[in-house]
Amino acid sequence: MIKIQLVDDEANILSALRRLLKPQGWEVHTYNNVEAALGGLLEHNYAVIVSDYQMPTADGVTYLQFAKQRQPDAMRLVLSAHGDRNSMIKAINQAEVYRFLSKPWDDYEVVTAIKSAIDVYQLKVENQRLRNQVDTQKAMLRAREQELLRLESENPGITRVQRDADGSVLISDND
């Protein structure tokens, strides 16, 4: 199941976002402080992490930098009432934020941004799975190649097989 982490020091913002996202069927975890949210990163794997930009104990970008270290594949979004250019640049450069959402938000924009982030997350996970599969196959091929080289060195010619047009092995007596 897709898990989403929401971090904001305002309980009413978390409640509104939870209501907005509930119909999507995602598992939504809300945290009203950075310390608790950090604990959540240790317990769950998130597809998307949405953090408020300004919070009392840490700014959202700093939190998202920690989140990036702990869960590099999770997509990170910033939610802020203070959307100045420098804030956005800092968020993008330091925490590799996927999207910057403004408060007050447009419901459709938030849901669409999170859906898009989930799509990117799922592509990242699938790419990693395929990379692992290719690496496993390469290792198997290397092992087989080494075995063929070993067999060929012990029994010269054993790995050279003659086949006919339909692929059948031809056995010839070279005596």
Side-chain angles (χ1 to χ4, degrees):
M1 172 173 270
I2 295 296
K3 293 182 184 180
I4 305 206
Q5 184 187 60
L6 304 175
V7 185
D8 197 305
D9 59 313
E10 298 178 50
N12 58 337
I13 297 288
L14 292 173
S15 295
L17 286 170
R18 181 183 285 283
R19 276 192 309 277
L20 174 64
L21 301 177
K22 185 176 183 177
Q24 302 301 321
W26 302 319
E27 186 176 322
V28 178
H29 299 172
T30 58
Y31 298 91
N32 63 4
N33 67 68
V34 170
E35 294 77 18
L38 287 169
L41 291 175
L42 299 174
E43 295 175 26
H44 305 282
N45 287 323
Y46 294 105
V48 177
I49 300 169
V50 181
S51 177
D52 183 23
Y53 182 73
Q54 288 188 330
M55 293 180 284
T57 56
D59 69 76
V61 175
T62 302
Y63 173 71
L64 290 173
Q65 285 177 287
F66 285 115
K68 179 184 160 208
Q69 290 174 357
R70 178 69 181 124
Q71 297 188 23
D73 290 335
M75 300 303 294
R76 294 167 296 283
L77 288 79
V78 170
L79 184 64
S80 179
H82 311 284
D84 66 77
R85 186 173 186 268
N86 289 337
S87 301
M88 287 187 270
I89 290 170
K90 180 181 176 187
I92 291 166
N93 290 340
Q94 293 181 359
E96 296 179 19
V97 168
Y98 175 69
R99 289 284 304 268
F100 200 94
L101 302 168
S102 61
K103 288 181 188 177
W105 62 80
D106 173 79
D107 289 354
Y108 177 79
E109 181 185 1
V110 169
V111 172
T112 303
I114 292 175
K115 282 181 179 179
S116 176
I118 289 169
D119 288 344
V120 172
Y121 170 80
Q122 289 175 323
L123 283 172
K124 281 181 170 183
V125 169
E126 178 64 6
N127 282 342
Q128 184 59 50
R129 185 190 69 76
L130 291 171
R131 259 194 312 274
N132 292 342
Q133 184 178 0
V134 167
D135 289 345
T136 300
Q137 290 171 345
K138 282 182 179 178
M140 288 172 53
L141 285 172
R142 276 193 297 274
R144 288 180 181 165
E145 185 178 295
Q146 289 299 316
E147 180 61 11
L148 286 173
L149 290 172
R150 184 189 68 75
L151 288 171
E152 185 64 34
S153 70
E154 290 177 6
N155 304 291
I158 194 169
T159 60
R160 291 185 287 277
V161 177
Q162 293 182 345
R163 297 182 183 272
D164 67 8
D166 71 354
S168 299
V169 174
L170 297 175
I171 300 174
S172 62
D173 190 8
N174 293 342
D175 290 338

